[in-house]
C-alpha cells in the first residue's frame, strides 16, 4: 500500500489535468480557433496527453478519478453531436482535439473501462446512426473521432428492445457501418469488431447474413488480410458474447467457415490472423462440447477431432501468439473430453521431443518445442496432465531448459527455455507432493534457502546468473556436482565464446567452495583434453584451467603449488600453431596468456622460458585483447620472477634512448609536398604502422614519465617533444587526421577534440575526456594574455561541480553545447554531439538546445542561431553523404527537429531554401540505397515535410520512389508514415490506398515497374551498328587509299570526330548494359534516374548527328541551283541543325539535373518535351537534306539525260535513300513514342523511346560513310572500276545555271565527254585541271 502511494506521488498531479481540461473545454466546438488559439490549444492537448501517458503502466491509479476526468469530455462530445448543425462541422479542429483526448483515455485505461462512462439512451441510437451512415461527411473527421463514435455506437446497440420495431433501415445500417470499417488498418477496425459482435449477439439479429458475408470474403482470391483479420476477430467476439443455444443453431455454418478459410492464406495474412483462426477453432470445439454430457462417458464428436488436429498444428506455427492460443485451447478442450482422448493429445505434444535433435531445422525445432512446452504449462495449470505422463514429461522439460541452437550469428532457443521454466512453475503449483517426491526429495532440503538467495534481478541477467547466482546455489552440496557437470559438459563446449568465458568464471567460484576435493580431479581431466582439435572445445579447456588455477589458491601447500605447476607446464607445452588457428581470432591466445597469469609460480619459471613464446606471439597480433593479456601475464610473472628494469639515474642513457624511440614511434612526420608524378614518400623507419600501435606508444610514454619519478631526468627538450606527441594525438581519430605544432592552433585542436569526445556516446570515453577538460580548465598556464589560451573559459569553468556526471550524456551536453558559439570548437563539438545521438540514447539535450536558439542572429554575428546550426548540419551531411556513421545521425536529428516544431515558423526565402536542402539531402539517391536505418530516417523527414506548404509539393514528388523501393519493409513504413500525416486530410481514397494495399508484398498493386528491355535492346543494337561502323572506317581509311587521299582535311577531321565520339558513346553504352543488366530491381524511378555517365549520352549522340548533318548538307548544297533557292536551303537546314543540337543540349541538362535531384523542375519545359523536340528536329533535318538532294536529281532526270547518266543518277538516289532511311526512321519513331507516351505522363513508357534514339550515333556514322562510298559503289555496279577511277570529268562551276537549257546530248557530253551515247565503255582521258571530279560531282 505504501509502495502504491509512493508511486502515486511520483506521477503527475491530476488536479493539473482537470484544470487544463476545463480550459480546453471552455472554447466552443462549433467555432474554429484563430492561429494563436490553435497553437495554444495544440500545446494544451499535448500536455494533457503527456499526463495520461505517465499512467500507462499503472493505469488502475486513475480509477477513483476516472468519472470526474472523462465525464465532462463525453458530455461535451454528446452536446456537439446532438445539435443538428454538427453534421456540417465534422471537420472542426476542436472536435478532433476532443476525440484525440478521449482516445488517449481508451489507450491508457482500456476501451472497455471508458465505454462504461458513455451515455446509452434511445435518442443516441438515431444520432449515431445518422452520423455514421453519412460516409461523405464522416470522411472529414479524423480516425480518432470515428473510433470514438463506433465505440459509443457499440454500446448503444445493446439497448434492451428489438431494433426492428423502430425501423428495418436501422438494422441494415448497423451492418453496413460495421462492415465498412472492418477492413480498416487503424483502430477503427477494433471498434467495428466490437460493434458487430455486440449487434450479432442480440437474439433479434440475423447472424446468417454475417456468416454468408464471411464465407464470400474467405473464398475470394486473393484473400484480403485486413478484412479477413477483422472478420475472424468479429467471429471470435460473437462466439464469446452470444449464448451457446443461439450459436449451436448456426454451428454447421460456423464450422464450414474454417474449411473455407484456407490455412495457407491464413499464414500469408500474418500472425494476428493466425491467432484469430486458432481461437475460432478452439471456441468452436468448446461450443460443440457444450452440454455433451459427462466427461468420461461422452463420445468425442468428429468435428472436435478435426479442430484438435488443427490446434496441434498451430502449436508448431512460426508465430508465438499462434502457438500460445493453440496451447490454451488444447488445455481447455482437454478439461471437457475423456481422459483417454486427452492422453492422446498429450502424446502428440510429446512427439517433437522423441525426434532426434538434428532431424529438424533450427526454426522448426524451436517452434515445435516451444509450442509443446506452452501446452504442457497450460495442461499443468488446469490439472489435466495424465498421471502416467509425469515420468516422461519432466525429462523433456529438462531438455527444453537446455535448448540452444546456433543459426548463423544468432542464437535460437530463449523462448523454448522460458516456456520450459513456465511449465515447471505450473507443475510445482499443482503437482501433489506424492507425485513430486521422486523428483524433488533430494532437492527439498535447501529449496527455501535457494529461493531466499535468488531473485529475478539475480538470474534475469546472464552474467549475474553465472558469476553470482550459480555460486550461491552451489553453496548447498546437493546442487554442486550437478552444476559442475553442466559447466564442464555444456557451458565450456558452447559455440559462443562469451558463454564459455562466463562458464569458466562460474567454475572458478564453485570450485573454490571445496577446492581440496574438486580442483585436483578437474585439473587432471582438463589437461587430458588439451589434445583436442576442436577450437571451441580447446578454448573452453584452456579457460577452465585458468579458472582452476585461480581456484587452487584456496588449497593448502604443497597441493597448491603442484596444481598450478601442472597447469603452467601444460599451457607452455601447447604448440604455437594450436594457439594461432585461422578464424579463431585471438581467443585461444588470450585464454592461454590468462591461464599463464593465474598459474605462474617460481617453480615453473626457474628453469623454463617457454612461456615467452606465447607473449611473443601476442606481440605480433593486431588484436588489442591479446596485447592486454600478454601485459597481464608478464606483470604476474614478474611478481615471482624479476623482469623489471631499473629506471634510475644510473640507467639514464638507456631511459633516454627508450623515450626517444617511443617519441618517434608515436609521432607523425609533417606531410611533405609531393612533386607531380613523383613516387610516394618513403615512411621513416620506427613509426607505428597502426593506430593501435601509436596509442600504445603514447600510453608507454605516459607510464615512463610517471614511473621516472623526477621528470627533470628526461631534460626539457625531450619533455617538450613528449608534450607535442601527446597533444598531436588528440586529433588522431583516423590515420590521416593529425595535429599540428605546439601553440594556439594545437591547443584549439586539442580542446576541440576533447569536446568532441566529451559528448560522444561511449560513456567511458566521455568521462575521461570530461575529467581531462576539468584539469585543463583549472590550469593557470593555459590562460594566456591577449585573447590567447583556452577559448570559452567562462563556460569551461562551469563544468566544475562537486558531483560531475560525465557518464550521463544529457548532463555533459547541457554544459558543453553553449561552446558551439565559438567557431574554433564548432565543427568537432557538433560532430561529437551528432554521433552521441542514437536511437537508444537520449537526444533531448541537443533538441532543447537547438530550440532555445534564436531563429536568426539578426545583426550580431557573434550570436549562434538555429539557422546557423541547421546550415552546419546540412554541410556536415553533404560532407559525409557516403558515410552512414555520420549521415544517419544527421538525418535523425533533422527528424527530431521537425517533430519538435523547429521549422514551423520558417517563411522567408532563405529558410525555405534551407528546408529544400534538407529534403534533397534526405531523398538523394534513395532508389540506390539499401541501408535500412538511412532509408527509415529519410522517409520520416519526407513524411513530415508533406505538412509544410512551401516544400510539401516537392516532398510529395519523392513519395513514389519510397513506395516503389525494392525493400518491402520500407514500402510498408512509407505507407504508415504517410497515412499518419494524411490522417487529418479530407482524402478518403488516399487513406484507403495507403491502408488497403499490402505494401510489404510484391504484387501488381505496387508502384510502377520499369521495362528495362528497350534500354538494353537499344544499346545492344547500337553496339552492333558501332562494330559495322568501325569495319567501314577501317576499309575506307586503310584499304581505299585513293578515296582517303581525295578526302579534304576538313572532312577527315569530321570523320575522325564521328568515330571517336561514337567510341565514347558506345563505351558509355556498355556501362549501361552492365548497370541495367545487373540491376536487382526494375524500379522505374531508379531506371530513369540512371547513372551519371548515362546522363551525358544524348550530348554525344547529338554531336555526332550534327557533324554528319553539316557534312551532308554541305555536299547536297552543291547540286542546288545557285541563287535564292540555295540560300533558302542553307537557312532552313542550318536552322534545323541548330535546333536539333539545342534539343540535345536541353535533354542532357535535364538528364544531369534529374539524376542529381529528381524532384525539382529546373526548366520551363519537361524532360519528355526536350527529348521530343530533339527527335523531331533530327528527323526534320534528315528529311530536308535527303529530300532536297533527291528532288534536284529527279528533276535533272526528268529534264532528259541519256541511259547511262540516268542509271547513275537513279543509283545515287537509291544510295541517298539508304543513307537517310534508317536515321530518319529511328528519329521519327523515337519522336512519336515521346509524343504518345511521355507527353501524356506515362513514365514507364518513357523507356520505349530509348530503344530508337540510342543507336542514332552509330547510324549517323554509317550514313556518312555510305555517302562517301557512293563513287565506289557506282564504279563497281557499272563494271568499270579501273577506268572510272582514272577518269576526271570536267564540269564547270556554273553547271547548275547553264545545263538546263542544253540538249540532252550536250549535257551527256559535258558529263562524260569521252563517252558516246551508244558506247558502254568509256575511254581514259587526261584529267582537266579546272573541272571537278566524278566523286565531287556525285555529292
Amino acid at each position: 500500500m505504501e509502495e502504491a502511494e509512493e508511486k502515486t506521488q511520483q506521477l503527475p498531479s491530476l488536479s493539473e489535468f482537470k484544470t487544463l481540461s476545463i480550459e480546453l473545454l471552455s472554447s466552443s466546438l462549433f467555432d474554429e480557433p484563430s492561429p494563436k488559439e490553435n497553437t495554444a490549444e495544440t500545446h494544451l492537448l499535448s500536455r494533457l496527453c503527456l499526463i495520461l501517458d505517465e499512467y500507462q503502466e499503472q493505469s488502475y491509479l486513475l480509477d477513483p478519478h476516472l468519472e470526474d476526468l472523462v465525464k465532462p469530455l463525453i458530455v461535451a462530445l454528446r452536446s456537439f453531436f446532438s445539435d443538428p448543425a454538427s453534421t456540417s462541422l465534422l471537420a472542426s479542429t476542436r472536435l478532433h482535439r476532443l476525440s484525440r483526448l478521449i482516445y488517449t483515455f481508451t489507450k491508457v485505461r482500456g476501451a472497455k473501462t471508458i465505454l462504461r462512462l458513455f451515455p446509452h439512451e434511445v435518442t443516441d441510437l438515431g444520432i449515431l446512426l445518422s452520423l455514421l451512415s453519412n460516409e461523405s461527411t464522416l470522411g472529414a473527421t479524423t480516425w480518432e473521432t470515428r473510433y470514438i463514435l463506433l465505440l459509443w455506437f457499440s454500446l448503444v446497440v445493446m439497448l434492451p428492445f428489438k431494433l426492428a420495431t423502430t425501423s428495418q433501415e436501422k438494422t441494415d445500417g448497423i451492418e453496413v457501418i460495421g462492415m465498412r470499417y472492418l477492413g480498416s488498418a487503424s483502430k477503427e477496425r477494433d471498434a467495428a469488431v466490437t460493434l458487430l459482435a455486440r449487434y450479432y449477439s442480440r437474439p433479434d439479429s440475423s447472424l446468417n447474413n454475417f456468416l454468408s458475408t464471411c464465407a464470400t470474403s474467405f473464398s475470394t482470391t486473393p484473400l484480403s488480410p485486413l478484412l479477413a483479420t477483422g472478420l475472424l476477430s468479429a467471429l471470435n467476439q460473437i462466439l464469446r458474447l452470444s449464448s451457446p443455444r443461439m450459436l449451436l443453431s448456426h454451428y454447421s455454418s460456423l464450422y464450414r467457415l474454417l474449411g473455407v478459410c484456407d490455412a495457407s492464406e491464413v499464414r500469408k495474412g500474418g500472425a494476428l490472423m493466425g491467432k484469430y483462426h486458432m481461437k475460432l477453432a478452439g471456441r468452436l470445439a468448446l461450443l460443440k462440447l457444450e452440454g455433451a454430457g459427462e466427461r468420461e462417458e461422452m463420445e468425442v464428436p468428429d468435428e472436435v477431432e478435426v479442430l484438435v488436429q488443427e490446434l496441434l498444428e498451430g502449436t508448431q506455427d512460426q508465430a508465438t501468439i499462434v502457438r500460445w492460443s493453440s496451447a490454451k485451447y488444447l488445455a481447455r478442450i482437454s478439461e471437457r473430453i475423456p481422459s483417454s482422448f486427452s492422453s492422446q493429445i498429450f502424446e502428440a505434444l510429446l512427439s517433437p521431443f522423441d525426434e532426434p535433435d538434428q532431424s529438424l531445422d533450427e526454426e522448426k525445432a524451436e517452434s515445435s518445442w516451444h509450442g509443446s512446452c506452452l501446452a504442457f504449462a497450460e495442461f499443468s495449470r488446469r490439472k489435466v496432465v495424465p498421471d502416467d505422463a509425469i515420468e516422461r514429461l519432466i525429462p523433456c522439460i529438462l531438455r527444453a531448459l537446455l535448448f540452444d541452437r546456433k543459426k548463423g550469428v544468432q542464437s535460437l532457443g530463449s523462448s523454448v527455455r522460458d516456456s520450459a521454466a513456465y511449465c515447471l512453475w505450473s507443475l510445482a503449483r499443482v503437482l501433489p507432493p506424492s507425485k513430486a517426491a521422486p523428483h524433488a526429495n533430494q532437492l527439498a532440503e535447501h529449496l527455501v534457502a535457494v529461493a531466499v538467495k535468488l531473485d529475478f534481478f539475480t538470474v534475469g541477467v546472464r552474467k549475474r546468473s553465472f558469476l553470482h547466482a550459480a555460486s550461491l546455489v552451489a553453496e548447498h552440496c546437493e546442487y554442486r556436482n550437478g552444476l559442475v557437470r553442466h559447466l564442464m559438459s555444456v557451458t565450456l563446449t558452447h559455440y559462443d565464446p562469451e558463454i564459455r568465458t562466463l562458464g569458466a568464471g562460474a567454475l572458478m567460484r564453485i570450485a573454490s567452495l571445496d577446492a581440496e576435493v574438486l580442483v585436483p580431479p578437474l585439473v587432471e581431466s582438463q589437461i587430458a583434453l588439451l589434445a583436442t582439435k576442436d577450437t571451441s572445445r580447446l578454448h573452453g579447456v584452456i579457460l577452465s584451467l585458468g579458472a582452476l588455477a585461480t581456484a587452487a589458491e584456496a588449497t593448502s601447500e604443497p597441493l597448491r603449488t603442484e596444481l598450478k605447476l601442472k597447469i603452467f607446464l601444460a599451457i607452455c607445452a601447447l604448440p604455437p600453431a594450436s594457439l594461432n588457428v585461422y578464424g579463431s581470432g585471438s581467443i585461444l591466445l588470450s585464454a592461454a596468456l590468462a591461464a599463464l597469469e593465474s598459474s605462474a609460480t617460481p617453480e615453473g619459471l626457474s628453469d623454463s622460458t617457454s612461456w615467452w613464446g606465447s607473449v611473443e606471439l601476442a606481440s605480433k597480433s593486431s588484436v588489442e585483447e591479446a596485447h592486454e593479456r600478454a601485459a597481464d601475464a608478464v606483470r604476474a610473472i614478474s611478481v615471482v620472477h624479476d623482469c623489471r628494469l631499473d629506471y634510475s639515474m644510473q640507467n639514464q642513457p638507456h631511459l633516454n634512448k627508450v623515450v626517444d624511440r617511443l617519441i618517434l614511434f608515436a609521432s607523425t612526420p609533417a606531410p611533405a609536398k609531393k612533386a607531380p608524378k613523383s613516387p610516394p614518400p618513403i615512411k621513416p623507419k620506427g613509426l607505428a604502422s597502426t593506430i593501435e600501435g601509436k596509442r600504445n606508444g603514447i600510453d608507454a610514454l605516459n607510464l615512463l614519465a610517471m614511473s621516472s619519478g623526477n621528470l627533470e631526468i628526461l631534460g626539457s627538450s625531450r619533455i617538450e617533444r613528449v608534450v607535442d606527441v601527446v597533444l598531436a594525438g588528440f586529433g588522431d581519430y583516423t590515420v590521416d587526421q593529425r595535429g599540428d605544432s605546439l601553440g594556439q592552433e594545437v591547443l584549439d585542436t586539442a580542446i576541440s577534440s576533447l569536446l568532441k569526445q566529451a559528448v560522444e556516446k561511449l560513456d567511458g570515453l566521455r568521462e575521461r575526456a570530461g575529467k581531462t577538460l576539468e584539469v585543463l580548465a583549472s590550469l593557470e598556464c593555459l590562460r594566456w594574455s591577449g585573447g590567447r589560451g583556452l577559448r570559452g573559459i567562462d563556460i569551461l569553468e562551469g563544468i566544475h561541480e562537486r558531483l560531475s556526471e560525465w557518464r550521463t550524456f544529457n548532463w555533459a551536453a547541457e554544459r558543453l553545447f553553449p561552446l558551439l558559439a565559438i567557431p574554433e570548437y564548432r565543427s568537432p563539438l557538433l560532430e561529437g554531439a551528432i554521433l552521441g545521438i542514437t536511437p537508444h540514447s537520449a537526444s533531448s539535450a541537443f533538441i532543447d538546445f537547438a530550440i532555445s536558439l534564436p531563429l536568426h542572429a539578426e545583426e550580431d554575428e557573434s550570436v549562434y542561431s538555429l539557422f546557423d546550426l541547421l546550415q552546419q548540419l546540412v554541410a556536415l551531411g553533404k560532407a559525409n553523404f557516403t558515410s552512414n556513421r555520420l549521415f544517419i545521425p544527421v538525418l535523425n536529428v533533422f527528424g527530431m527537429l521537425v517533430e519538435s516544431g523547429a521549422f514551423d515558423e520558417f517563411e522567408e526565402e532563405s529558410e525555405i531554401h534551407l528546408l529544400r536542402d534538407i529534403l534533397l539531402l534526405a531523398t538523394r539517391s534513395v532508389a540506390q540505397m539499401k541501408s535500412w536505418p538511412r532509408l527509415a530516417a529519410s522517409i520520416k523527414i519526407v513524411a513530415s515535410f508533406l505538412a509544410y506548404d512551401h516544400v510539401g509539393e516537392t516532398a510529395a514528388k519523392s513519395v513514389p520512389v519510397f513506395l516503389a523501393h525494392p525493400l518491402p519493409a520500407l514500402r510498408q513504413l512509407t505507407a504508415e508514415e504517410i497515412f499518419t500525416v494524411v490522417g487529418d486530410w479530407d482524402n478518403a481514397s488516399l487513406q484507403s490506398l495507403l491502408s488497403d494495399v499490402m505494401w510489404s508484398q510484391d504484387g501488381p498493386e505496387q508502384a510502377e515497374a520499369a521495362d528495362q528491355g528497350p534500354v538494353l535492346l537499344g544499346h545492344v543494337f547500337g553496339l552492333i551498328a558501332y562494330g559495322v561502323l568501325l569495319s567501314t572506317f577501317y576499309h575506307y581509311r586503310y584499304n581505299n587509299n585513293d578515296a582517303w587521299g581525295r578526302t579534304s582535311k576538313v572532312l577527315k577531321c569530321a570523320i575522325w570526330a564521328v568515330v571517336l565520339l561514337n567510341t565514347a558513346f558506345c563505351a558509355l553504352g556498355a556501362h549501361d548494359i552492365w548497370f541495367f543488366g545487373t540491376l536487382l530491381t526494375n524500379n522505374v524511378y531508379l531506371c530513369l534516374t540512371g547513372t551519371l555517365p548515362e546522363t551525358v549520352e544524348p550530348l554525344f549522340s547529338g554531336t555526332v548527328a550534327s557533324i554528319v548533318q553539316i557534312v551532308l548538307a554541305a555536299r547536297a548544297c552543291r547540286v542546288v541551283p545557285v541563287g535564292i533557292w540555295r540560300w533558302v536551303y542553307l537557312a532552313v537546314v542550318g536552322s534545323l541543325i541548330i535546333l536539333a543540337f539545342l534539343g540535345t543540349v536541353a535533354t542532357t541538362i535535364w538528364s544531369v539535373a534529374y539524376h542529381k535531384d529528381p524532384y525539382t523542375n529546373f526548366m520551363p519545359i519537361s524532360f519528355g518535351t526536350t527529348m521530343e523536340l530533339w527527335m523531331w528536329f533530327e528527323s526534320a533535318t534528315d528529311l530536308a537534306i535527303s529530300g532536297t538532294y533527291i528532288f534536284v536529281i529527279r528533276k535533272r532526270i526528268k529534264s532528259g539525260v541519256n541511259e547511262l547518266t540516268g542509271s547513275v543518277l537513279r543509283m545515287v538516289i537509291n544510295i541517298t535513300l539508304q543513307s537517310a532511311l534508317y536515321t530518319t526512321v529511328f528519329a521519327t519513331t523515337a519522336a512519336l513514342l515521346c509524343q504518345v507516351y511521355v507527353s501524356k505522363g506515362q513514365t514507364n513508357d518513357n523507356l520505349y523511346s530509348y530503344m530508337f534514339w540510342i543507336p542514332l550515333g552509330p547510324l549517323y556514322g554509317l550514313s556518312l560513310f555510305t555517302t562517301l562510298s557512293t563513287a565506289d559503289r557506282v564504279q563497281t555496279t557499272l563494271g568499270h572500276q579501273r577506268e572510272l577511277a582514272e577518269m576526271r570529268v570536267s564540269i564547270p562551276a556554273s553547271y547548275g545555271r547553264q545545263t538546263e537549257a542544253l540538249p540532252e546530248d550536250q549535257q551527256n557530253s559535258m558529263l562524260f565527254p569521252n563517252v558516246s551515247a551508244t558506247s558502254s565503255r568509256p575511254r581514259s582521258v587526261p584529267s582537266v585541271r579546272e573541272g571537278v571530279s566524278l566523286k565531287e560531282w556525285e555529292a
Side-chain angles (χ1 to χ4, degrees), residues 1001-1168:
Q1001 297 181 2
D1002 294 327
E1005 68 273 9
Q1006 296 302 333
E1008 195 175 13
D1011 186 1
Q1012 303 170 9
V1015 180
L1016 295 174
L1017 190 60
H1019 279 298
V1020 170
F1021 188 78
L1023 289 175
I1024 295 173
Y1026 173 70
V1028 178
L1029 173 65
L1030 282 183
S1031 176
T1032 306
F1033 169 70
Y1034 183 83
H1035 174 77
Y1036 186 84
R1037 171 65 180 85
Y1038 296 103
N1039 295 345
N1040 195 351
N1041 293 327
D1042 292 341
W1044 182 258
R1046 293 194 304 269
T1047 305
S1048 64
K1049 291 183 178 180
V1050 175
L1051 187 57
K1052 288 179 180 178
C1053 292
I1055 294 173
W1056 276 110
V1058 168
V1059 173
L1060 293 177
L1061 287 173
N1062 270 303
T1063 301
F1065 177 82
C1066 290
L1068 296 178
H1071 170 269
D1072 283 355
I1073 291 177
W1074 173 81
F1075 176 76
F1076 287 103
T1078 58
L1079 205 60
L1080 298 180
T1081 176
N1082 60 344
N1083 184 324
V1084 65
Y1085 301 100
L1086 178 58
C1087 294
L1088 291 178
T1089 305
T1091 61
L1092 186 60
E1094 181 192 6
T1095 59
V1096 297
E1097 288 174 0
L1099 186 62
F1100 283 91
S1101 180
T1103 304
V1104 170
S1106 299
I1107 293 174
V1108 173
Q1109 288 168 349
I1110 290 172
V1111 172
L1112 297 183
R1115 294 172 68 85
C1117 181
R1118 299 178 184 177
V1119 301
V1120 178
V1122 178
I1124 187 65
W1125 292 112
R1126 179 173 290 187
W1127 287 109
V1128 171
Y1129 165 78
L1130 290 175
V1132 172
V1133 174
S1135 300
L1136 289 175
I1137 293 175
I1138 293 173
L1139 291 173
F1141 186 73
L1142 291 178
T1144 301
V1145 174
T1147 303
T1148 304
I1149 294 174
W1150 244 114
S1151 299
V1152 176
Y1154 189 83
H1155 175 76
K1156 295 292 186 182
D1157 178 15
Y1159 315 115
T1160 304
N1161 293 327
F1162 292 89
M1163 299 176 66
I1165 57 177
S1166 65
F1167 172 74

Side-chain angles (χ1 to χ4, degrees), residues 28-29 32 76-77 80-81 86 89-101 141-142 145 149:
S28 174
L29 296 179
E32 279 296 315
L77 187 71
F80 177 81
F81 286 118
S86 63
L89 298 174
L90 291 180
S92 170
T93 305
R94 286 172 174 161
L95 173 63
H96 297 168
R97 292 197 181 100
L98 181 60
S99 302
R100 174 80 178 275
L101 186 56
T141 62
T142 60
T145 304
L149 289 175

Side-chain angles (χ1 to χ4, degrees), residues 104 305 673 872 961 1274:
T104 306
E305 292 188 13
K673 293 185 177 180
Q872 194 168 6
V961 182
V1274 170

Side-chain angles (χ1 to χ4, degrees), residues 178-217:
M179 291 302 300
R180 182 192 305 156
Y181 297 103
L182 205 59
S184 174
S186 63
K187 290 288 291 184
E188 298 158 282
R189 181 179 66 190
D190 297 343
V193 166
T194 305
L195 171 63
L196 290 175
R198 291 185 172 182
Y199 171 69
Y200 285 116
S201 63
R202 295 175 58 96
D204 58 340
S205 64
S206 178
L207 184 57
N208 283 328
N209 294 341
F210 183 70
L211 296 180
S212 300
T213 303
C214 293
T216 304
S217 301

Side-chain angles (χ1 to χ4, degrees), residues 282 285-286 289 304 308 311 329-337:
L286 293 174
L289 295 173
V304 175
V308 165
L311 290 171
Y329 279 98
L330 283 174
R332 292 176 185 175
I333 293 170
S334 297
E335 282 185 308
R336 304 187 184 183
I337 58 178

Side-chain angles (χ1 to χ4, degrees), residues 730-742:
F730 278 120
D732 196 357
Y733 283 87
T734 58
V735 293
D736 57 353
Q737 294 179 0
R738 298 293 187 259
D740 208 337
S741 60
L742 188 61

Side-chain angles (χ1 to χ4, degrees), residues 452-528:
V452 171
K453 291 180 179 180
L454 301 184
D455 55 15
F456 170 77
F457 299 101
T458 304
V459 299
V461 180
R462 184 168 63 184
K463 185 175 181 180
R464 291 179 61 84
S465 295
F466 276 100
L467 303 183
H468 183 64
S471 59
L472 289 177
V473 175
E475 290 178 0
H476 308 284
C477 57
E478 291 85 356
Y479 309 106
R480 190 176 300 157
N481 291 331
L483 285 172
V484 171
R485 284 195 301 271
H486 177 78
L487 290 172
M488 302 297 289
S489 60
V490 178
T491 309
L492 289 172
T493 60
H494 198 271
Y495 60 82
D496 190 349
E498 184 180 351
I499 297 294
R500 297 197 293 267
T501 304
L502 291 174
L507 178 64
M508 182 268 293
R509 285 167 172 76
I510 294 174
S512 300
L513 297 174
D514 193 5
E516 298 282 351
V517 176
L518 292 177
V519 175
L522 291 176
V523 170
E524 295 293 339
S525 63
Q526 293 302 97
I527 290 177

